[in-house]
Amino acid sequence: MNDPYDYGLWPLVVINTLVLVIFAASFFHPKTGRDWKALGGFSAFAVALFTEMYGFPLTVYLLAGPLGNWFPNLGYSHAQGHLWNDLIGWKGDPHLSPFHLAAYVLIILGFVLIGAGWRHLHAAAQSGVLATSGPYRHIRHPQYAGFLAIMVGFLLMWPTLPTLVMFPVLVWVYRRLAIREEAEVARRFGMVWEEYAATTPRLPALPAPPARGHRAPRPDGETRTRLGRAGRAPPAAFRRPHAYRRPVSTSVLRPSREGS
């Protein structure tokens, strides 16, 4: 390339942004206003990412000045713009560093979640039932989780100040979208939704010890238990007809009897 610093490549900014957004849309299949809002936030993240990756490296220029001692190998070429690699002193191919390899895994996982989530959601909508199969068996919003996984992957690959600022904002936006979506689904499916939500988190969670308040089963098989502060549902062995909190309202959930 003619540019020795590999920046100012605005056609690459446009092409990469369009490819990523169109690729994501082909997996996500946005239809409602909520869907387009989720895709819009992701698109803004992509614009900020590729603008600094190929257009104008604002983060590199800022860090090279006041924080130059923290990034001794930081330069103004595209190959030297991988900030995480500079922090750990990676000398090899920047595209084969641990951060890049982890980024590839997260980005691929994100697209798989988005695609699989849409297929199972579409099948459930066609049948008029609640989506509980595929990735919905483990998380309530696999498509939103997929978008977050892709963004984390790009933050590991090419962190910038704008994307680092945007990421927590987008997490908040997706969380609000998820809560609104849950309220609508709860009104439509009622008890079916609440039984599903009681055992399925919004996002993947690390294994944790049982919530406080659990007691050993009584001889007659009954227990008295309440959810812990984190809102985690008790293990299946403890779930009996007792009151739990709804995930999106304050009404009482009474699970159906076994065999009903």
Side-chain angles (χ1 to χ4, degrees):
M1 297 182 182
N2 296 328
D3 189 341
Y5 298 129
D6 300 327
Y7 290 112
L9 306 175
W10 298 107
L12 279 182
V13 175
V14 175
I15 292 172
N16 280 276
T17 301
L18 288 177
V19 168
L20 181 63
V21 172
I22 293 173
F23 196 52
S26 69
F27 278 76
F28 190 51
H29 297 274
K31 293 182 178 179
T32 66
R34 183 186 297 113
D35 293 342
W36 285 108
K37 187 174 183 179
L39 184 63
F42 180 77
S43 301
F45 181 91
V47 170
L49 170 72
F50 291 119
T51 296
E52 289 219 30
M53 187 179 292
Y54 297 111
F56 181 78
L58 174 64
T59 302
V60 172
Y61 287 140
L62 292 176
L63 294 182
L67 299 178
N69 292 333
W70 288 20
F71 302 90
N73 300 318
L74 184 62
Y76 295 105
S77 70
H78 179 83
Q80 292 176 296
H82 300 77
L83 303 182
W84 299 129
N85 295 343
D86 193 46
L87 280 177
I88 66 173
W90 180 263
K91 303 299 183 182
D93 186 337
H95 301 95
L96 297 178
S97 72
F99 291 106
H100 257 66
L101 296 179
Y104 298 146
V105 172
L106 285 172
I107 292 170
I108 293 173
L109 175 62
F111 278 113
V112 169
L113 272 176
I114 293 173
W118 187 87
R119 287 196 300 273
H120 287 272
L121 181 62
H122 178 70
Q126 292 293 100
S127 303
V129 298
L130 180 67
T132 58
S133 60
Y136 284 93
R137 295 178 57 188
H138 308 288
I139 51 177
R140 302 182 207 172
H141 305 279
Q143 293 177 298
Y144 294 161
F147 277 126
L148 294 177
I150 294 171
M151 287 188 283
V152 171
F154 277 117
L155 288 176
L156 290 177
M157 180 183 295
W158 194 277
T160 71
L161 294 177
T163 53
L164 287 171
V165 171
M166 290 177 64
F167 180 72
V169 175
L170 289 173
V171 171
W172 179 79
V173 168
Y174 286 146
R175 182 178 182 276
R176 285 180 59 86
L177 290 174
I179 291 175
R180 292 176 184 175
E181 185 176 294
E182 289 176 7
E184 295 177 6
V185 176
R187 286 193 294 269
R188 179 180 177 185
F189 291 101
M191 188 69 67
V192 175
W193 159 257
E194 296 193 12
E195 290 179 343
Y196 167 76
T199 57
T200 310
R202 288 196 180 108
L203 292 175
L206 296 176
R212 295 179 181 179
H214 291 171
R215 297 181 182 179
R218 294 181 178 181
D220 58 2
E222 295 184 356
T223 59
R224 292 182 180 178
T225 180
R226 297 189 302 173
L227 295 180
R229 291 183 178 179
R232 189 181 304 280
F238 290 95
R239 280 190 269 114
R240 292 288 178 181
H242 296 287
Y244 302 141
R245 280 189 180 275
R246 288 180 61 178
V248 293
S249 67
T250 56
S251 66
V252 174
L253 163 62
R254 294 183 175 85
S256 59
R257 296 182 180 178
E258 299 179 359
S260 60

